[in-house]
Amino acid sequence: MRAAAIVVAVLATTATAPSFADEAQDPLWSAGRSIYYNAARIDGSPIRVTVQQDVPLPPGSGACVSCHRRSGLGVAEGGARALNVSGPALFQASSVPPIRPAYDDALLARVLISGIDANGQPLSDLMPRYELTAEDALAVSRYLRTLGTEPPPGLTDTEITIASIVVPDSPDGERAALQAVLPEYVKVKNGGTRHEQRRSEMSSRNYYGIKRYRAYREWKHSFWRLTGKPATWPAQLQKYYAESPPFAIVSGSLGVNAAIVDDFCEQMEIACVLPMTSLPPAAEDSFYSLYFSSGVRLEGRLIGRHLARVMSSTKGGVLLVYNKDAEGLAARQAVRDGFASDDPDLISDYAMKPGKIPSARDWARMLKKSGATALVPLLSAAQLQNLTSTKLDRLLVPDVIVTAQSFTNWSDVSGAEGIIDRVKHVYPYNLPTANASQFPREDVWLRSRGIDLPDRISAAKVLFACKALGMALADIQSNFSREYLLESLEHALDNSFLTSLYPRITLGPDQRFLSRGAFLARVTMVEGKPQITNGVWMQP
Amino acid sequence: MRSRTFAYSWIEFLALLLPIAALAGEHTPDEHAAHRAAMQSNKFTVEQASYAVPDIVLVDQDGVEVHVRDLLSSGRPVALNFIFTTCTTICPVMTATMLQMQGQLADDSQTPDFISISIDPDYDTAAVMKSYAQNFGANWTFLTGTHDDVIKVLQSFDAYRGSKVNHFALTLMNPGDNASWTRVEGLTSAMELARIWRKISS
């Protein structure tokens, strides 16, 4: 009957939340889920947890999800191994080590309470012992029976469906990168997959068949192009999903309303791997979406921290000029957060109509009025053109100017040579070098496919997103769980050298930003053009 | 014709694979033997070691600068472990165990300064460390810093293993007064840790 329910859910053209619509009505299942995720009952009462024989864990700690993870497939980390507790694994006899009979409700209750496994042997001291009532244990059992049983959409025996999302306000450079890189990557991958599939067929016939080859699928990729106002996007996303639900969403360009897509991916429980956006959701508490960095908020915080250092030995204040749009407002708040001063009046800010180009007179007026000794123009290169103008009295321009890459591309600023010696620029990527490629790992592939775009950063980001997804799919082999895909990325990307975009990427369980710092760089004239050079890495 | 060729190569493949499988072990069912052994074993090792503490400044959970050399090689008694706040497996256990150990030693005359150092300084800012400590009710010093500084400190204690996923349970104890360090690798009960402490500090 549950199978029928799943079929109905998949076929429904107005499908919304996919997982276990029926189960969620079942109070025992919900109770079990609560214990699995929070080590607490639905009413909030915590379950007492003891580990390492005599060590109590604080309320909420030691929940099953910590080690066995959302997928239930477990983890190997820190010298410890948490086993696969998904329904199909747990409630069947295991013929691969650890060899044991199937768990049932009674055996599961015993192992959770006293740590004695289905073989009658005590589990390692690292597995917590839980003070569960009989009802609690039955609830956990009910939940685990369903864990990992829902077949993910977007998969057939030979194909895996992938999608990338583009929004109306996607920057041109990101659009061009997606158009050029994604279809080419898919083409190259599927070209290789053809041969892997043959190996897969051979290995399936072989008793010693190798699991990895059986996991190969051709990528069936499409773009989801959203149109119109953001309020209409959730319905458009649902429509795309209903027509062809993907296994994962990769790359894409989400503009400043990334939160809408983030919410969709949380609701539909679908992995969203490294989309491009300057404004991901503020809190790092989504499970399904993985981002490059926190974008303008990261850059803003670093500007604030730098200013706090500089202004502690300088008199006067800061003038922050920003566009009155989502990015500008978020960056302004982040600068203030990073500055963290007792005296908020030290920063005076000026909200500009987005895209307006202040004249030399406008600059003079703003600078004179504020009396600022530091200027933070969170504006585009075009908007800065009169700041560098000779019509503006240079004496008015502060000695300290701090800019951010999300707003200002210095190579596009004309007449910059007059002020760049005062500028420090927050640059979140690997620094450009004179005679070598800035992103060697990506450039090798891009050049080999004849892709030479002006926006190299976006091209590199799209490529890296594809590579990360490809690597994750290879890692999870035939365990096609969307949660396991993300859990695998959490480990595989930490300290990885898969990309040259950043000097270092780090990731961990429940972390969703790859890069958490940026260079504070200088701008110098190189062959008549302003170039980012010399930087010191800063962390918030 | 095709099936005969196939049957021939199938048998040949099988014949080749049997001894290879036995030797290589890579695709046999027991590829996780080491992990399983670690999982079932409650063993830990205790050994003595000497470490040269580098002259580096880290920050504690309140953002206050801490000179690592002053903290860790000034002759004060110290119990030190290495964690990161988003660790799912052993770090909550290690912090809770250290807390329990602290409680068990509360009435002792010789108690160590407890210190935890992050191995994920990029994510574990001072604020994050503070929140983690408060969640456990741990009132000791939690240190973090810039990535490069923290790595130097970790390396000096032979605690650095590259990616976070390779980290391991490590507790270092020093009774002070220029003694060598006692290195406990592996998870223990709080009582076992307390017992080791009492032994080396008596």
Side-chain angles (χ1 to χ4, degrees):
Chain A
M1 192 166 87
R2 212 172 55 77
I6 289 175
V7 168
V8 167
V10 166
L11 289 180
T13 53
T14 51
T16 50
S19 284
F20 301 109
D22 271 4
E23 273 68 16
Q25 316 288 352
D26 175 358
L28 199 61
W29 183 87
S30 300
R33 189 176 191 277
S34 172
I35 295 172
Y36 189 87
Y37 273 83
N38 307 312
R41 301 181 185 90
I42 295 248
D43 64 6
S45 57
I47 311 258
R48 280 166 59 118
V49 183
T50 309
V51 82
Q52 294 299 129
Q53 297 176 29
D54 60 356
V55 178
L57 289 178
S61 281
C64 324
V65 75
S66 305
C67 295
H68 294 284
R69 313 301 280 134
R70 208 179 260 235
S71 64
L73 293 175
V75 75
E77 186 216 291
R81 182 155 178 246
L83 292 177
N84 183 350
V85 297
S86 64
L90 201 59
F91 296 98
Q92 274 180 46
S94 172
S95 56
V96 293
I99 296 175
R100 56 154 178 79
Y103 278 92
D104 57 25
D105 291 346
L107 288 174
L108 184 63
R110 183 176 77 170
V111 76
L112 294 176
I113 294 168
S114 66
I116 306 295
D117 70 8
N119 284 326
Q121 298 300 315
L123 288 178
S124 136
D125 286 346
L126 180 55
M127 167 68 184
R129 282 35 169 180
Y130 297 91
E131 243 181 53
L132 299 172
T133 65
E135 168 116 10
D136 292 335
L138 205 60
V140 175
S141 210
R142 178 81 184 87
Y143 176 72
L144 289 180
R145 280 181 196 280
T146 64
L147 187 59
T149 56
E150 174 154 315
L155 278 174
T156 67
D157 278 346
T158 52
E159 280 182 343
I160 183 166
T161 303
I162 316 271
S164 306
I165 299 173
V166 185
V167 299
D169 64 300
S170 296
D172 291 339
E174 292 180 8
R175 255 179 226 281
L178 286 165
Q179 275 308 130
V181 175
L182 249 164
E184 186 64 21
Y185 184 89
V186 172
K187 193 173 96 185
V188 170
K189 173 161 266 300
N190 288 342
T193 300
R194 200 174 70 239
H195 305 289
E196 304 299 346
Q197 280 219 302
R198 210 173 297 146
R199 276 211 271 183
S200 157
E201 286 154 26
M202 286 165 61
S203 68
S204 297
R205 289 198 284 257
N206 190 315
Y207 181 77
Y208 291 98
I210 298 164
K211 275 188 288 186
R212 183 163 72 230
Y213 303 124
R214 290 187 209 155
Y216 268 88
R217 305 278 193 287
E218 285 213 347
W219 285 25
K220 199 171 115 203
H221 175 265
S222 64
F223 283 106
W224 290 3
R225 296 182 196 283
L226 305 182
T227 59
K229 288 190 163 40
T232 65
W233 294 356
Q236 294 178 47
L237 288 165
Q238 291 292 351
K239 186 155 176 287
Y240 273 116
Y241 189 95
E243 280 165 16
S244 176
F247 178 76
I249 293 175
V250 73
S251 191
S253 173
L254 306 184
V256 300
N257 292 297
I260 295 180
V261 175
D262 189 286
D263 284 343
F264 170 78
C265 292
E266 288 304 290
Q267 184 196 1
M268 305 309 284
E269 297 172 349
I270 179 169
C272 185
V273 180
L274 296 173
M276 295 178 284
T277 171
S278 60
L279 210 53
E284 195 177 347
D285 59 4
S286 302
F287 180 82
Y288 288 93
S289 294
L290 174 64
Y291 299 98
F292 286 103
S293 80
S294 52
V296 298
R297 290 194 186 90
L298 169 66
E299 294 171 30
R301 280 197 85 96
L302 290 173
I303 290 178
R305 264 202 64 195
H306 174 65
L307 286 173
R309 269 202 309 250
V310 164
M311 302 311 283
S312 63
S313 54
T314 314
K315 278 206 300 220
V318 179
L319 174 64
L320 179 71
V321 184
Y322 65 102
N323 287 316
K324 202 169 181 188
D325 57 19
E327 283 168 313
L329 285 161
R332 166 188 173 264
Q333 188 57 51
V335 170
R336 285 180 173 277
D337 290 343
F339 194 57
S341 161
D342 293 325
D343 181 6
D345 291 335
L346 271 174
I347 303 183
S348 53
D349 48 41
Y350 191 96
M352 183 138 302
K353 185 155 167 266
K356 174 167 186 254
I357 299 176
S359 65
R361 277 245 303 269
D362 291 330
W363 282 114
R365 198 167 17 92
M366 282 190 285
L367 289 164
K368 263 194 262 193
K369 183 169 175 225
S370 69
T373 49
L375 173 65
V376 179
L378 300 175
L379 304 171
S380 69
Q383 288 176 300
L384 290 182
Q385 60 188 251
N386 294 315
L387 182 65
T388 59
S389 154
T390 46
K391 290 206 197 107
L392 177 63
D393 182 359
R394 279 287 149 72
L395 289 173
L396 283 174
V397 178
D399 284 334
V400 175
I401 302 178
V402 192
T403 54
Q405 182 64 25
S406 278
F407 298 98
T408 315
N409 200 356
W410 274 99
S411 53
D412 294 337
V413 178
S414 54
E417 51 271 12
I419 59 165
I420 51 173
D421 51 323
R422 311 173 196 219
V423 171
K424 286 271 169 54
H425 182 67
V426 173
Y427 190 76
Y429 309 107
N430 251 332
L431 293 172
T433 49
N435 297 315
S437 158
Q438 186 178 6
F439 310 122
R441 233 159 241 104
E442 279 80 7
D443 274 350
V444 162
W445 190 94
L446 291 167
R447 262 205 301 270
S448 75
R449 307 314 301 173
I451 298 174
D452 185 13
L453 296 168
D455 186 350
R456 309 197 92 80
I457 291 171
S458 294
K461 283 181 174 175
V462 176
L463 178 59
F464 175 46
C466 292
K467 286 205 291 185
L469 177 63
M471 181 180 72
L473 287 172
D475 272 353
I476 67 176
Q477 297 183 15
S478 302
N479 296 308
F480 285 111
S481 147
R482 288 160 153 186
E483 290 75 28
Y484 194 49
L485 182 80
L486 282 144
E487 290 155 17
S488 144
L489 281 173
E490 284 170 347
H491 283 150
L493 288 180
D494 183 47
N495 251 26
S496 146
F497 293 109
L498 202 61
T499 179
S500 307
L501 272 165
Y502 305 102
R504 179 174 67 253
I505 57 176
T506 63
L507 207 59
D510 296 337
Q511 296 185 25
R512 289 299 179 265
F513 295 127
L514 280 186
S515 179
R516 294 179 188 273
F519 285 104
L520 192 66
R522 302 200 66 84
V523 185
T524 52
M525 298 305 289
V526 174
E527 285 168 14
K529 283 192 76 177
Q531 271 269 50
I532 308 294
T533 58
N534 303 355
V536 173
W537 187 256
M538 272 187 80
Q539 288 164 227
Chain B
M1 183 182 80
R2 182 167 174 267
S3 62
R4 200 190 305 159
T5 316
F6 175 67
Y8 176 73
S9 59
W10 192 91
I11 290 167
E12 187 182 58
F13 185 65
L14 187 63
L16 272 176
L17 202 61
L18 279 166
I20 289 172
L23 285 172
E26 195 186 318
H27 298 299
T28 65
D30 220 18
E31 57 194 11
H32 292 299
H35 277 302
R36 267 200 345 280
M39 195 182 70
Q40 271 138 18
S41 153
N42 296 314
K43 288 198 176 57
F44 54 91
T45 59
V46 184
E47 40 183 41
Q48 299 302 307
S50 290
Y51 301 112
V53 184
D55 191 13
I56 282 183
V57 177
L58 299 181
V59 293
D60 73 8
Q61 65 264 49
D62 295 311
V64 175
E65 287 191 342
V66 170
H67 289 260
V68 169
R69 203 171 260 175
D70 291 345
L71 190 67
L72 294 174
S73 69
S74 60
R76 288 193 56 75
V78 168
L80 165 65
N81 68 9
F82 303 87
I83 52 113
F84 66 100
T85 64
T86 58
C87 168
T88 55
T89 50
I90 64 174
C91 304
V93 172
M94 291 186 67
T95 301
T97 306
M98 187 171 259
L99 183 72
Q100 187 78 347
M101 173 200 180
Q102 185 186 43
Q104 287 176 2
L105 294 175
D107 294 330
D108 282 32
S109 52
Q110 260 268 64
T111 58
D113 295 335
F114 291 94
I115 299 162
S116 293
I117 301 184
S118 170
I119 66 167
D120 183 17
D122 291 289
Y123 184 90
D124 290 343
T125 60
V128 168
M129 294 291 260
K130 191 171 179 86
S131 166
Y132 176 86
Q134 282 171 341
N135 186 44
F136 283 89
N139 63 358
W140 62 79
T141 301
F142 284 77
L143 295 177
T144 181
T146 69
H147 177 263
D148 291 347
D149 282 348
V150 168
I151 298 303
K152 284 201 192 85
V153 175
L154 296 178
Q155 284 170 330
S156 70
F157 286 108
D158 189 15
Y160 183 60
R161 293 289 181 273
S163 167
K164 287 192 274 296
V165 76
N166 298 326
H167 79 121
F168 59 107
L170 174 61
T171 310
L172 297 171
M173 296 195 256
N174 194 315
D177 291 333
N178 290 320
S180 66
W181 289 85
T182 299
R183 183 181 177 93
V184 181
E185 276 193 36
L187 294 170
T188 72
S189 69
M191 199 166 68
E192 278 158 342
L193 266 184
R195 191 157 30 89
I196 295 170
W197 169 259
R198 283 179 178 136
K199 186 153 174 262
I200 64 171
S201 64
S202 59

